[in-house]
Amino acid sequence: MSEVKLADLGRALRLTAGASMLDLACGTGEMVSTWSRDHGITGLGVDISTVFGEQARRRASELGVGERVAFVHDDAAGFVAPEPVDIAACVGATWIGGGVPGTLDLLARSLRPGGLVLVGEPFWREDPPSDEAVRGCHAQARSDFHDLPGLVELFGRLGWDLVEMVLADEDSWDRYVAAQWMTIRTWLDANPDDELAPECHGSARLRPLPAPLSGLGSVRPKDA
């Protein structure tokens, strides 16, 4: 998900100043921090990584939103916001709920009546040609992901209305993967004798994986 598409998504959700957001498995907090800068929302990000947490707080400070957003070190699986929020999000980390159904249930526990749930989930752009291709997409089986029509249908079967969607594309994915090569190469140059160096050196030579395209959808309970 590129910076441009992330901004597109924030506009698509019609965010308003003062709206509250919970971001589970927030990583470096880029989504909640940039949306706070651009739309004036308040936010709470949760991630199990202390490294990401430190980066998220630095980024929020850089963007001038440190007083509107906060980040906590915690396991996002099972985390419920202290107060109901307007937007409950989990982008690219639905394993915290054991998949889309469990993640929707988890996010709903933090959502105010009439609020929005935001889920980012991969889908198959085409049927994988082999089990090797499936594993190359970080899946154990084809059934781990749906195609796009199947993913849209899944939300409806689970009792949610899909009200907005922004899709990643191949350029976004290539930039995401290729940037990791530079990061790994830079780290290797600075840490050639680290015990993890041989493993990282191998991963730095990886070709872009035939990964499923990520989809972002905002869903609202049908009875909201």
mmCIF file with all atom_site columns, all heavy atoms in Angstrom, residues 45-63:
data_model
loop_
_atom_site.group_PDB
_atom_site.id
_atom_site.type_symbol
_atom_site.label_atom_id
_atom_site.label_alt_id
_atom_site.label_comp_id
_atom_site.label_asym_id
_atom_site.label_entity_id
_atom_site.label_seq_id
_atom_site.pdbx_PDB_ins_code
_atom_site.Cartn_x
_atom_site.Cartn_y
_atom_site.Cartn_z
_atom_site.occupancy
_atom_site.B_iso_or_equiv
_atom_site.pdbx_formal_charge
_atom_site.auth_seq_id
_atom_site.auth_comp_id
_atom_site.auth_asym_id
_atom_site.auth_atom_id
_atom_site.pdbx_PDB_model_num
ATOM 1   N N   . GLY A 1 45 ? -2.464 3.089   18.609 1.00 0.00 ? 45 GLY A N   1
ATOM 2   C CA  . GLY A 1 45 ? -1.873 1.985   17.878 1.00 0.00 ? 45 GLY A CA  1
ATOM 3   C C   . GLY A 1 45 ? -1.333 0.943   18.841 1.00 0.00 ? 45 GLY A C   1
ATOM 4   O O   . GLY A 1 45 ? -0.762 1.279   19.880 1.00 0.00 ? 45 GLY A O   1
ATOM 5   N N   . VAL A 1 46 ? -1.509 -0.318  18.483 1.00 0.00 ? 46 VAL A N   1
ATOM 6   C CA  . VAL A 1 46 ? -1.077 -1.433  19.334 1.00 0.00 ? 46 VAL A CA  1
ATOM 7   C C   . VAL A 1 46 ? -0.195 -2.358  18.512 1.00 0.00 ? 46 VAL A C   1
ATOM 8   O O   . VAL A 1 46 ? -0.572 -2.775  17.406 1.00 0.00 ? 46 VAL A O   1
ATOM 9   C CB  . VAL A 1 46 ? -2.291 -2.218  19.868 1.00 0.00 ? 46 VAL A CB  1
ATOM 10  C CG1 . VAL A 1 46 ? -1.826 -3.362  20.779 1.00 0.00 ? 46 VAL A CG1 1
ATOM 11  C CG2 . VAL A 1 46 ? -3.250 -1.294  20.608 1.00 0.00 ? 46 VAL A CG2 1
ATOM 12  N N   . ASP A 1 47 ? 0.986  -2.673  19.031 1.00 0.00 ? 47 ASP A N   1
ATOM 13  C CA  . ASP A 1 47 ? 1.859  -3.621  18.347 1.00 0.00 ? 47 ASP A CA  1
ATOM 14  C C   . ASP A 1 47 ? 2.734  -4.327  19.375 1.00 0.00 ? 47 ASP A C   1
ATOM 15  O O   . ASP A 1 47 ? 3.109  -3.742  20.392 1.00 0.00 ? 47 ASP A O   1
ATOM 16  C CB  . ASP A 1 47 ? 2.742  -2.918  17.312 1.00 0.00 ? 47 ASP A CB  1
ATOM 17  C CG  . ASP A 1 47 ? 3.217  -3.876  16.232 1.00 0.00 ? 47 ASP A CG  1
ATOM 18  O OD1 . ASP A 1 47 ? 4.200  -4.609  16.475 1.00 0.00 ? 47 ASP A OD1 1
ATOM 19  O OD2 . ASP A 1 47 ? 2.595  -3.908  15.148 1.00 0.00 ? 47 ASP A OD2 1
ATOM 20  N N   . ILE A 1 48 ? 3.071  -5.573  19.067 1.00 0.00 ? 48 ILE A N   1
ATOM 21  C CA  . ILE A 1 48 ? 3.860  -6.381  19.994 1.00 0.00 ? 48 ILE A CA  1
ATOM 22  C C   . ILE A 1 48 ? 5.353  -6.067  19.884 1.00 0.00 ? 48 ILE A C   1
ATOM 23  O O   . ILE A 1 48 ? 6.149  -6.482  20.733 1.00 0.00 ? 48 ILE A O   1
ATOM 24  C CB  . ILE A 1 48 ? 3.605  -7.879  19.741 1.00 0.00 ? 48 ILE A CB  1
ATOM 25  C CG1 . ILE A 1 48 ? 3.975  -8.710  20.966 1.00 0.00 ? 48 ILE A CG1 1
ATOM 26  C CG2 . ILE A 1 48 ? 4.332  -8.358  18.485 1.00 0.00 ? 48 ILE A CG2 1
ATOM 27  C CD1 . ILE A 1 48 ? 3.501  -10.146 20.897 1.00 0.00 ? 48 ILE A CD1 1
ATOM 28  N N   . SER A 1 49 ? 5.742  -5.314  18.850 1.00 0.00 ? 49 SER A N   1
ATOM 29  C CA  . SER A 1 49 ? 7.148  -4.996  18.630 1.00 0.00 ? 49 SER A CA  1
ATOM 30  C C   . SER A 1 49 ? 7.522  -3.697  19.330 1.00 0.00 ? 49 SER A C   1
ATOM 31  O O   . SER A 1 49 ? 6.948  -2.646  19.051 1.00 0.00 ? 49 SER A O   1
ATOM 32  C CB  . SER A 1 49 ? 7.436  -4.870  17.130 1.00 0.00 ? 49 SER A CB  1
ATOM 33  O OG  . SER A 1 49 ? 8.714  -4.309  16.906 1.00 0.00 ? 49 SER A OG  1
ATOM 34  N N   . THR A 1 50 ? 8.504  -3.774  20.215 1.00 0.00 ? 50 THR A N   1
ATOM 35  C CA  . THR A 1 50 ? 8.976  -2.553  20.875 1.00 0.00 ? 50 THR A CA  1
ATOM 36  C C   . THR A 1 50 ? 9.733  -1.658  19.892 1.00 0.00 ? 50 THR A C   1
ATOM 37  O O   . THR A 1 50 ? 9.708  -0.429  20.018 1.00 0.00 ? 50 THR A O   1
ATOM 38  C CB  . THR A 1 50 ? 9.898  -2.895  22.055 1.00 0.00 ? 50 THR A CB  1
ATOM 39  O OG1 . THR A 1 50 ? 10.981 -3.733  21.595 1.00 0.00 ? 50 THR A OG1 1
ATOM 40  C CG2 . THR A 1 50 ? 9.132  -3.653  23.134 1.00 0.00 ? 50 THR A CG2 1
ATOM 41  N N   . VAL A 1 51 ? 10.388 -2.267  18.909 1.00 0.00 ? 51 VAL A N   1
ATOM 42  C CA  . VAL A 1 51 ? 11.106 -1.491  17.899 1.00 0.00 ? 51 VAL A CA  1
ATOM 43  C C   . VAL A 1 51 ? 10.116 -0.659  17.087 1.00 0.00 ? 51 VAL A C   1
ATOM 44  O O   . VAL A 1 51 ? 10.310 0.542   16.865 1.00 0.00 ? 51 VAL A O   1
ATOM 45  C CB  . VAL A 1 51 ? 11.912 -2.416  16.967 1.00 0.00 ? 51 VAL A CB  1
ATOM 46  C CG1 . VAL A 1 51 ? 12.534 -1.617  15.818 1.00 0.00 ? 51 VAL A CG1 1
ATOM 47  C CG2 . VAL A 1 51 ? 12.997 -3.141  17.752 1.00 0.00 ? 51 VAL A CG2 1
ATOM 48  N N   . PHE A 1 52 ? 9.031  -1.291  16.636 1.00 0.00 ? 52 PHE A N   1
ATOM 49  C CA  . PHE A 1 52 ? 8.011  -0.557  15.897 1.00 0.00 ? 52 PHE A CA  1
ATOM 50  C C   . PHE A 1 52 ? 7.395  0.547   16.758 1.00 0.00 ? 52 PHE A C   1
ATOM 51  O O   . PHE A 1 52 ? 7.106  1.643   16.271 1.00 0.00 ? 52 PHE A O   1
ATOM 52  C CB  . PHE A 1 52 ? 6.915  -1.500  15.408 1.00 0.00 ? 52 PHE A CB  1
ATOM 53  C CG  . PHE A 1 52 ? 7.279  -2.266  14.164 1.00 0.00 ? 52 PHE A CG  1
ATOM 54  C CD1 . PHE A 1 52 ? 6.558  -3.391  13.793 1.00 0.00 ? 52 PHE A CD1 1
ATOM 55  C CD2 . PHE A 1 52 ? 8.330  -1.872  13.361 1.00 0.00 ? 52 PHE A CD2 1
ATOM 56  C CE1 . PHE A 1 52 ? 6.880  -4.090  12.643 1.00 0.00 ? 52 PHE A CE1 1
ATOM 57  C CE2 . PHE A 1 52 ? 8.669  -2.576  12.209 1.00 0.00 ? 52 PHE A CE2 1
ATOM 58  C CZ  . PHE A 1 52 ? 7.937  -3.685  11.845 1.00 0.00 ? 52 PHE A CZ  1
ATOM 59  N N   . GLY A 1 53 ? 7.175  0.237   18.027 1.00 0.00 ? 53 GLY A N   1
ATOM 60  C CA  . GLY A 1 53 ? 6.588  1.231   18.913 1.00 0.00 ? 53 GLY A CA  1
ATOM 61  C C   . GLY A 1 53 ? 7.439  2.482   19.019 1.00 0.00 ? 53 GLY A C   1
ATOM 62  O O   . GLY A 1 53 ? 6.926  3.609   18.970 1.00 0.00 ? 53 GLY A O   1
ATOM 63  N N   . GLU A 1 54 ? 8.749  2.302   19.162 1.00 0.00 ? 54 GLU A N   1
ATOM 64  C CA  . GLU A 1 54 ? 9.656  3.446   19.231 1.00 0.00 ? 54 GLU A CA  1
ATOM 65  C C   . GLU A 1 54 ? 9.637  4.238   17.931 1.00 0.00 ? 54 GLU A C   1
ATOM 66  O O   . GLU A 1 54 ? 9.619  5.475   17.936 1.00 0.00 ? 54 GLU A O   1
ATOM 67  C CB  . GLU A 1 54 ? 11.077 2.956   19.534 1.00 0.00 ? 54 GLU A CB  1
ATOM 68  C CG  . GLU A 1 54 ? 11.230 2.363   20.933 1.00 0.00 ? 54 GLU A CG  1
ATOM 69  C CD  . GLU A 1 54 ? 12.583 1.712   21.122 1.00 0.00 ? 54 GLU A CD  1
ATOM 70  O OE1 . GLU A 1 54 ? 13.379 1.717   20.146 1.00 0.00 ? 54 GLU A OE1 1
ATOM 71  O OE2 . GLU A 1 54 ? 12.855 1.192   22.217 1.00 0.00 ? 54 GLU A OE2 1
ATOM 72  N N   . GLN A 1 55 ? 9.640  3.529   16.796 1.00 0.00 ? 55 GLN A N   1
ATOM 73  C CA  . GLN A 1 55 ? 9.596  4.205   15.501 1.00 0.00 ? 55 GLN A CA  1
ATOM 74  C C   . GLN A 1 55 ? 8.278  4.958   15.330 1.00 0.00 ? 55 GLN A C   1
ATOM 75  O O   . GLN A 1 55 ? 8.253  6.071   14.786 1.00 0.00 ? 55 GLN A O   1
ATOM 76  C CB  . GLN A 1 55 ? 9.781  3.193   14.371 1.00 0.00 ? 55 GLN A CB  1
ATOM 77  C CG  . GLN A 1 55 ? 11.170 2.575   14.324 1.00 0.00 ? 55 GLN A CG  1
ATOM 78  C CD  . GLN A 1 55 ? 11.304 1.531   13.229 1.00 0.00 ? 55 GLN A CD  1
ATOM 79  O OE1 . GLN A 1 55 ? 10.307 1.074   12.667 1.00 0.00 ? 55 GLN A OE1 1
ATOM 80  N NE2 . GLN A 1 55 ? 12.523 1.141   12.934 1.00 0.00 ? 55 GLN A NE2 1
ATOM 81  N N   . ALA A 1 56 ? 7.187  4.348   15.787 1.00 0.00 ? 56 ALA A N   1
ATOM 82  C CA  . ALA A 1 56 ? 5.872  4.981   15.657 1.00 0.00 ? 56 ALA A CA  1
ATOM 83  C C   . ALA A 1 56 ? 5.811  6.276   16.454 1.00 0.00 ? 56 ALA A C   1
ATOM 84  O O   . ALA A 1 56 ? 5.278  7.293   15.970 1.00 0.00 ? 56 ALA A O   1
ATOM 85  C CB  . ALA A 1 56 ? 4.782  4.017   16.114 1.00 0.00 ? 56 ALA A CB  1
ATOM 86  N N   . ARG A 1 57 ? 6.351  6.271   17.660 1.00 0.00 ? 57 ARG A N   1
ATOM 87  C CA  . ARG A 1 57 ? 6.327  7.493   18.471 1.00 0.00 ? 57 ARG A CA  1
ATOM 88  C C   . ARG A 1 57 ? 7.207  8.580   17.868 1.00 0.00 ? 57 ARG A C   1
ATOM 89  O O   . ARG A 1 57 ? 6.837  9.765   17.894 1.00 0.00 ? 57 ARG A O   1
ATOM 90  C CB  . ARG A 1 57 ? 6.751  7.154   19.905 1.00 0.00 ? 57 ARG A CB  1
ATOM 91  C CG  . ARG A 1 57 ? 5.634  6.484   20.723 1.00 0.00 ? 57 ARG A CG  1
ATOM 92  C CD  . ARG A 1 57 ? 6.054  6.236   22.148 1.00 0.00 ? 57 ARG A CD  1
ATOM 93  N NE  . ARG A 1 57 ? 6.871  5.043   22.261 1.00 0.00 ? 57 ARG A NE  1
ATOM 94  C CZ  . ARG A 1 57 ? 6.393  3.807   22.411 1.00 0.00 ? 57 ARG A CZ  1
ATOM 95  N NH1 . ARG A 1 57 ? 5.094  3.615   22.469 1.00 0.00 ? 57 ARG A NH1 1
ATOM 96  N NH2 . ARG A 1 57 ? 7.195  2.774   22.515 1.00 0.00 ? 57 ARG A NH2 1
ATOM 97  N N   . ARG A 1 58 ? 8.344  8.191   17.298 1.00 0.00 ? 58 ARG A N   1
ATOM 98  C CA  . ARG A 1 58 ? 9.201  9.182   16.634 1.00 0.00 ? 58 ARG A CA  1
ATOM 99  C C   . ARG A 1 58 ? 8.492  9.771   15.413 1.00 0.00 ? 58 ARG A C   1
ATOM 100 O O   . ARG A 1 58 ? 8.547  10.978  15.167 1.00 0.00 ? 58 ARG A O   1
ATOM 101 C CB  . ARG A 1 58 ? 10.532 8.548   16.210 1.00 0.00 ? 58 ARG A CB  1
ATOM 102 C CG  . ARG A 1 58 ? 11.498 8.308   17.354 1.00 0.00 ? 58 ARG A CG  1
ATOM 103 C CD  . ARG A 1 58 ? 12.907 8.110   16.838 1.00 0.00 ? 58 ARG A CD  1
ATOM 104 N NE  . ARG A 1 58 ? 13.011 6.982   15.923 1.00 0.00 ? 58 ARG A NE  1
ATOM 105 C CZ  . ARG A 1 58 ? 13.294 5.737   16.306 1.00 0.00 ? 58 ARG A CZ  1
ATOM 106 N NH1 . ARG A 1 58 ? 13.501 5.468   17.589 1.00 0.00 ? 58 ARG A NH1 1
ATOM 107 N NH2 . ARG A 1 58 ? 13.391 4.767   15.419 1.00 0.00 ? 58 ARG A NH2 1
ATOM 108 N N   . ARG A 1 59 ? 7.826  8.914   14.655 1.00 0.00 ? 59 ARG A N   1
ATOM 109 C CA  . ARG A 1 59 ? 7.131  9.375   13.462 1.00 0.00 ? 59 ARG A CA  1
ATOM 110 C C   . ARG A 1 59 ? 5.980  10.316  13.827 1.00 0.00 ? 59 ARG A C   1
ATOM 111 O O   . ARG A 1 59 ? 5.788  11.349  13.166 1.00 0.00 ? 59 ARG A O   1
ATOM 112 C CB  . ARG A 1 59 ? 6.591  8.170   12.692 1.00 0.00 ? 59 ARG A CB  1
ATOM 113 C CG  . ARG A 1 59 ? 5.850  8.516   11.403 1.00 0.00 ? 59 ARG A CG  1
ATOM 114 C CD  . ARG A 1 59 ? 6.729  9.235   10.428 1.00 0.00 ? 59 ARG A CD  1
ATOM 115 N NE  . ARG A 1 59 ? 6.084  9.326   9.130  1.00 0.00 ? 59 ARG A NE  1
ATOM 116 C CZ  . ARG A 1 59 ? 6.378  10.235  8.214  1.00 0.00 ? 59 ARG A CZ  1
ATOM 117 N NH1 . ARG A 1 59 ? 7.318  11.149  8.468  1.00 0.00 ? 59 ARG A NH1 1
ATOM 118 N NH2 . ARG A 1 59 ? 5.760  10.258  7.049  1.00 0.00 ? 59 ARG A NH2 1
ATOM 119 N N   . ALA A 1 60 ? 5.243  9.978   14.861 1.00 0.00 ? 60 ALA A N   1
ATOM 120 C CA  . ALA A 1 60 ? 4.154  10.855  15.304 1.00 0.00 ? 60 ALA A CA  1
ATOM 121 C C   . ALA A 1 60 ? 4.690  12.220  15.705 1.00 0.00 ? 60 ALA A C   1
ATOM 122 O O   . ALA A 1 60 ? 4.087  13.256  15.398 1.00 0.00 ? 60 ALA A O   1
ATOM 123 C CB  . ALA A 1 60 ? 3.403  10.217  16.465 1.00 0.00 ? 60 ALA A CB  1
ATOM 124 N N   . SER A 1 61 ? 5.841  12.227  16.373 1.00 0.00 ? 61 SER A N   1
ATOM 125 C CA  . SER A 1 61 ? 6.454  13.497  16.767 1.00 0.00 ? 61 SER A CA  1
ATOM 126 C C   . SER A 1 61 ? 6.884  14.287  15.538 1.00 0.00 ? 61 SER A C   1
ATOM 127 O O   . SER A 1 61 ? 6.683  15.507  15.469 1.00 0.00 ? 61 SER A O   1
ATOM 128 C CB  . SER A 1 61 ? 7.650  13.225  17.678 1.00 0.00 ? 61 SER A CB  1
ATOM 129 O OG  . SER A 1 61 ? 8.289  14.415  18.049 1.00 0.00 ? 61 SER A OG  1
ATOM 130 N N   . GLU A 1 62 ? 7.471  13.613  14.553 1.00 0.00 ? 62 GLU A N   1
ATOM 131 C CA  . GLU A 1 62 ? 7.904  14.277  13.323 1.00 0.00 ? 62 GLU A CA  1
ATOM 132 C C   . GLU A 1 62 ? 6.721  14.945  12.616 1.00 0.00 ? 62 GLU A C   1
ATOM 133 O O   . GLU A 1 62 ? 6.853  16.027  12.044 1.00 0.00 ? 62 GLU A O   1
ATOM 134 C CB  . GLU A 1 62 ? 8.551  13.266  12.372 1.00 0.00 ? 62 GLU A CB  1
ATOM 135 C CG  . GLU A 1 62 ? 9.895  12.737  12.831 1.00 0.00 ? 62 GLU A CG  1
ATOM 136 C CD  . GLU A 1 62 ? 10.385 11.617  11.930 1.00 0.00 ? 62 GLU A CD  1
ATOM 137 O OE1 . GLU A 1 62 ? 9.662  11.287  10.950 1.00 0.00 ? 62 GLU A OE1 1
ATOM 138 O OE2 . GLU A 1 62 ? 11.464 11.070  12.194 1.00 0.00 ? 62 GLU A OE2 1
ATOM 139 N N   . LEU A 1 63 ? 5.566  14.282  12.656 1.00 0.00 ? 63 LEU A N   1
ATOM 140 C CA  . LEU A 1 63 ? 4.383  14.783  11.966 1.00 0.00 ? 63 LEU A CA  1
ATOM 141 C C   . LEU A 1 63 ? 3.605  15.788  12.812 1.00 0.00 ? 63 LEU A C   1
ATOM 142 O O   . LEU A 1 63 ? 2.597  16.329  12.352 1.00 0.00 ? 63 LEU A O   1
ATOM 143 C CB  . LEU A 1 63 ? 3.471  13.621  11.569 1.00 0.00 ? 63 LEU A CB  1
ATOM 144 C CG  . LEU A 1 63 ? 4.047  12.640  10.539 1.00 0.00 ? 63 LEU A CG  1
ATOM 145 C CD1 . LEU A 1 63 ? 3.075  11.487  10.298 1.00 0.00 ? 63 LEU A CD1 1
ATOM 146 C CD2 . LEU A 1 63 ? 4.375  13.340  9.224  1.00 0.00 ? 63 LEU A CD2 1
#
